[in-house]
Amino acid sequence: MEYSEVTCLLRSLCELKGTSGDEGAAAEKICEMLGRYMPSKIDTLGNVTGTRGEGFSILLDAHTDQIGLAVTAVDDDGFIKVARVGGADCRVLTAAEVIIHGKSDIYGVITSTPPHLKADSDSGKVKKFDEITVDIGMKKEEAEKVVSPGDRITFKAPFSHLAGNRIASPSVDDRAGVAAVLRCLQLLEGKKTCRIDVMFSAQEETGGSGAAAGAFNSQADEAIACDVSFAAAPGLSDDKYVALGSGTMVGYAPSLDYAMSRRLTEIAEKKEIPHTAEVMGGSTGTNGDDIQVSGRGIKTALLSIPIRNMHTAVEVVDAADIENTARLMAEYIIERSAENA
Amino acid sequence: MLETLKELCSLPGISGREDKVRDYIISRIEGFCDYKIDPLGNLIVFKKGKNSPKNKIMLDSHMDEVGMIVTGADSGGFLKFATVGGVDPEVIIGRTVLIGEKNIPGVLGIKPIHLIEKSEEQDLPKKDDMYIDIGAKNKEEALSLAPLGEEIHFESEFIRFGDGFIKSKAIDDRAGCAIMIDLIRSELEYDCYFSFSVQEEIGTRGAKASAYTIDPDYAIVIETTTAADISGVKGEARVCVCGEGGAVSFMDRATVYDRSLYQKALEVAKSNNIKAQTKTRVAGGNDAGAIHKSRGGVKVLTVSVPTRYLHSPCCVCKYDDIVSTRDLVREMINNLAV
């Protein structure tokens, strides 16, 4: 298998469950993984942070949280009512398998409406969130013993190896970014660099609160946010969206530092790292936006990994794109370290 | 029976591709009966009982499951497919499937929620716009990994959960197959014929032939049927209820059942303390539709395991109901034989 290093990293990261605001268990494991490269800890809002080296500093960011659902109530028939955490997509919930992180992990199936109960006008229509319930095979009294309002719900779906180096799994957004940062640190092992701050941030999917606080604590000279973005797929033309497997996407946007974006592109050209440009007209909708304006302000760049089916249980990514994102980050750090030594 | 059901559910077998299911069933009944495979692929079994019955009895359940079949690929390497049997798009979007002999994984993708128009939020993709992503880079790679006509089945593990529930793909109708295997491996009071039928899901085609061949006086179809005992659904709209035993049909979209058989089944259940219930909606259809019209006509009875989310990757039923259904069918054999 090519890219086995990042694929293995991604697999162990995707196995972790951590929806926004409930990153706890996932954050602890990721803190341990980061600890192999630098002293690491978990901060007030649940960000995993670490730092190594001195002087000029570059902050690397990727978010630990994933989209999901939260329990709002157990209804009279023992079925679980839900609210969404982050941008969960109603269109892909019917018949999905889930885990409710209650007193213990409880298995459930999201209910679907049998044909005889469906009006013709409902056919092909998406259910509304208040119509969605989870079947855990229990009566109300039993259910209430193990499930409480606020408990988080995540997809139970496989980590599938597709053709080539492609993978389908829940929570590739943004464990792929976490994998790229960890892989970058691995590539830099034994090399003398400037100060590297790492922030695996909480609560990106609910608005970026984690990154705002974490970046304030770091106050690095420069930051690179690493997230996922949209790849071409049926319905998303390749005139507008990049192909999966075409490399790391260097972000260009008014909110991003233009010199950093240019530099990243130049290094990618020079080192022959596959890359594309992702151009946006304002801010970026990523942690980059929050990092940029934290404290006195931080020059920020964005590298994105193209994925398909964002915010579903089958987010598809090409391992080569994760590897190339890690390589470009590492090469950038090496050059900037030499210049600022 | 639970372990048998688990193994049966794990096998792929869309309509017309029931071979693996049939091979497994043969491996389990070999030595307990006589059997033959008819030209359509039905597995027809004769089981000798302790006595010769006055009436010839046929039991039927179907081996096939709903799924999909590869019909093409586009230039981007995405597979196109047709559904085999009734599969609602809403239960497959965002799910994982396995394709062909090599179980190649693929996923049913969708345009991300961030990029859809407000007007698209309420509508599921149309069947023609749906596709399976197997990670192929182009049409050639896609079709070499998943050639035209390749079978597609849901990836869905057999899981026990909650208060005695089971979740898997293909419980419809491997539950019936598991019950028939159990009966064949046990000692029966009377001789009995069994048809493990093909192609129920595309219009009860297999049972048409096997009923002709067996030529029974009575037939009992062992099936699964919709249990709509879900959140907020009350009374007869639930159709049947998990945990209340086999559902006995008086009428569905394909068959008006013999009234005396329907009544007898409920009486026999009651007098033997076996849980059973009436299927309270005239909905669906099964092999009984083909069998009752066979030759000069056959009196039919259907007993079904109540199953939630039929024809989805996640069928849900209660194991106790499979046991009750088997017990009722066994009593009915004894009752109809004389």
Side-chain angles (χ1 to χ4, degrees):
Chain A
M1 188 171 60
E2 278 186 285
Y3 308 108
S4 58
E5 204 71 52
V6 279
T7 304
C8 288
L9 262 176
L10 184 63
R11 179 171 205 134
S12 39
L13 288 164
C14 285
E15 278 165 5
L16 306 174
K17 305 291 185 189
T19 52
S20 313
D22 188 32
E23 297 88 353
E28 271 171 40
K29 188 81 195 17
I30 292 170
C31 189
E32 199 184 302
M33 292 168 88
L34 179 60
R36 283 174 220 161
Y37 304 102
M38 55 181 66
S40 59
K41 63 179 175 50
I42 297 175
D43 78 6
T44 318
L45 289 196
N47 302 305
V48 176
T49 62
T51 186
R52 73 165 216 196
E54 303 269 318
F56 178 81
S57 57
I58 299 175
L59 169 68
L60 305 178
D61 164 84
H63 67 89
T64 57
D65 60 319
Q66 67 193 90
I67 57 113
L69 305 170
V71 175
T72 56
V74 178
D75 78 8
D76 291 343
D77 300 307
F79 289 77
I80 311 300
K81 308 287 278 182
V82 301
R84 60 174 163 184
V85 176
D89 185 348
C90 255
R91 301 170 303 161
V92 299
L93 293 180
T94 300
E97 296 177 62
V98 295
I99 299 291
I100 299 180
H101 305 280
K103 291 244 160 48
S104 58
D105 281 357
I106 311 287
Y107 175 85
V109 175
I110 297 186
T111 59
S112 48
T113 310
H116 72 276
L117 294 176
K118 242 186 207 172
D120 284 346
S121 57
D122 289 343
S123 160
K125 291 285 172 201
V126 178
K127 264 193 211 164
K128 298 193 175 54
F129 245 95
D130 56 12
E131 298 169 325
I132 286 172
T133 57
V134 183
D135 179 354
I136 60 168
M138 294 183 198
K139 300 244 185 296
K140 186 176 193 199
E141 305 72 54
E142 299 166 71
E144 282 179 334
K145 284 181 202 154
V146 288
V147 172
S148 318
D151 288 350
R152 300 306 165 87
I153 304 173
T154 56
F155 285 122
K156 176 178 164 37
F159 184 91
S160 305
H161 293 271
L162 306 183
N165 306 304
R166 294 169 172 191
I167 286 143
S169 171
S171 67
V172 168
D173 175 5
D174 182 30
R175 304 290 159 71
V178 175
V181 171
L182 288 171
R183 175 67 177 149
C184 164
L185 296 175
Q186 192 181 41
L187 293 170
L188 291 173
E189 255 183 319
K191 295 197 165 64
K192 187 149 175 54
T193 63
C194 64
R195 187 180 111 206
I196 302 174
D197 290 355
V198 172
M199 169 168 71
F200 291 132
S201 41
Q203 299 182 36
E204 191 273 350
E205 298 291 0
T206 47
S209 313
F216 178 84
N217 290 333
S218 159
Q219 284 303 304
D221 296 298
E222 294 182 352
I224 301 176
C226 183
D227 209 330
V228 295
S229 189
F230 309 107
L236 301 176
S237 89
D238 47 15
D239 300 337
K240 205 170 160 197
Y241 297 94
V242 300
L244 205 66
S246 59
T248 185
M249 304 161 82
V250 180
Y252 283 86
S255 67
L256 297 172
D257 186 77
Y258 186 58
M260 279 183 79
S261 300
R262 291 290 312 154
R263 192 65 186 273
L264 282 161
T265 302
E266 282 162 26
I267 294 172
E269 298 282 344
K270 192 165 64 187
K271 298 288 178 184
E272 297 184 332
I273 298 168
H275 65 101
T276 58
E278 181 188 24
V279 184
M280 292 150 281
S283 54
T284 65
T286 68
N287 274 343
D289 300 346
D290 301 287
I291 296 168
Q292 183 209 5
V293 295
S294 91
R296 62 168 194 268
I298 301 176
K299 288 177 193 291
T300 302
L302 173 65
L303 290 179
S304 298
I305 299 160
I307 69 166
R308 293 179 185 146
N309 315 321
M310 197 185 290
H311 289 194
T312 71
V314 292
E315 294 178 332
V316 174
V317 67
D318 194 317
D321 293 332
I322 305 176
E323 177 74 11
N324 288 321
T325 303
R327 281 178 62 202
L328 182 54
M329 264 189 288
E331 294 294 349
Y332 181 85
I333 290 170
I334 290 168
E335 283 211 2
R336 296 293 287 147
S337 298
E339 288 163 10
N340 291 284
Chain B
M1 250 191 330
L2 188 66
E3 198 51 36
T4 303
L5 180 63
K6 182 178 177 176
E7 286 174 18
L8 280 166
C9 287
S10 72
L11 297 168
I14 62 164
S15 310
R17 309 286 168 81
E18 298 88 354
D19 338 16
K20 290 198 178 67
V21 180
R22 189 173 54 234
D23 290 348
Y24 171 78
I25 294 170
I26 291 172
S27 78
R28 296 299 312 277
I29 61 173
E30 192 98 61
F32 293 94
C33 59
D34 297 325
Y35 66 86
K36 65 174 181 187
I37 299 167
D38 80 0
L40 297 192
N42 296 308
L43 175 61
I44 296 177
V45 173
F46 174 70
K47 164 82 180 171
K48 190 97 190 90
K50 286 193 238 167
N51 307 292
S52 290
K54 209 174 91 202
N55 302 308
K56 196 192 240 186
I57 297 168
M58 165 182 173
L59 267 51
D60 169 276
S61 59
H62 66 90
M63 296 187 285
D64 59 319
E65 68 189 280
V66 298
M68 290 159 273
I69 191 166
V70 178
T71 58
D74 69 13
S75 56
F78 298 96
L79 294 178
K80 304 304 280 182
F81 62 91
T83 52
V84 175
V87 181
D88 192 323
E90 78 166 351
V91 301
I92 52 177
I93 294 166
R95 306 280 84 78
T96 308
V97 293
L98 298 171
I99 305 165
E101 289 285 323
K102 290 185 190 143
N103 278 333
I104 299 205
V107 299
L108 282 102
I110 190 170
K111 202 196 257 191
I113 187 169
H114 321 64
L115 302 179
I116 58 175
E117 303 289 335
K118 193 89 186 144
S119 61
E120 292 176 274
E121 276 176 22
Q122 296 310 314
D123 292 315
L124 290 165
K126 306 243 176 325
K127 260 187 183 166
D128 282 348
D129 294 335
M130 292 170 65
Y131 58 89
I132 297 172
D133 182 355
I134 56 170
K137 291 214 159 58
N138 52 44
K139 186 172 186 163
E140 292 67 40
E141 189 187 3
L143 290 179
S144 73
L145 289 166
L148 294 182
E150 204 79 329
E151 168 184 2
I152 304 168
H153 63 274
F154 305 129
E155 173 158 32
S156 177
E157 210 186 329
F158 187 94
I159 286 176
R160 300 181 69 184
F161 74 105
D163 180 20
F165 283 88
I166 293 166
K167 184 280 316 184
S168 177
K169 75 172 182 72
I171 288 177
D172 175 9
D173 184 25
R174 306 288 158 74
C177 295
I179 289 171
M180 297 214 309
I181 291 172
D182 190 72
L183 290 171
I184 292 167
R185 289 171 63 93
S186 70
E187 202 166 302
L188 294 183
E189 289 297 318
Y190 295 95
D191 301 350
C192 200
Y193 288 85
F194 297 79
S195 172
F196 293 94
S197 304
V198 297
Q199 300 180 27
E200 191 270 351
E201 298 292 1
I202 55 161
T204 65
R205 307 187 72 78
K208 208 168 204 163
S210 63
Y212 172 88
T213 303
I214 294 173
D215 189 15
D217 297 309
Y218 291 102
I220 306 174
V221 173
I222 311 168
E223 256 284 13
T224 55
T225 197
T226 297
D229 58 336
I230 57 175
S231 183
V233 184
K234 303 286 177 221
E236 52 80 39
R238 295 176 299 173
V239 186
C240 57
V241 176
C242 291
E244 295 301 316
V248 185
S249 309
F250 58 85
M251 186 155 94
D252 58 35
R253 292 269 177 88
T255 312
V256 179
Y257 291 88
D258 185 86
R259 186 148 175 79
S260 62
L261 274 195
Y262 159 74
Q263 286 167 334
K264 176 145 282 178
L266 292 176
E267 281 163 23
V268 165
K270 201 170 177 193
S271 57
N272 287 281
N273 280 323
I274 299 167
K275 275 191 179 175
Q277 57 187 319
T278 294
K279 177 175 172 178
T280 56
R281 273 265 169 138
V282 178
N286 58 49
D287 279 341
I291 298 169
H292 82 283
K293 289 184 287 196
S294 180
R295 294 191 185 234
V298 179
K299 286 187 192 296
V300 289
L301 170 73
T302 290
V303 187
S304 301
V305 176
T307 307
R308 296 174 184 162
Y309 328 122
L310 277 181
H311 292 202
S312 87
C314 297
C315 305
V316 168
C317 73
K318 239 178 162 170
Y319 181 67
D320 287 352
D321 290 329
I322 300 178
V323 175
S324 312
T325 300
R326 178 201 58 194
D327 293 348
L328 178 55
V329 169
R330 191 202 298 275
E331 289 304 327
M332 285 308 290
I333 298 172
N334 299 342
N335 209 278
L336 298 176
V338 288

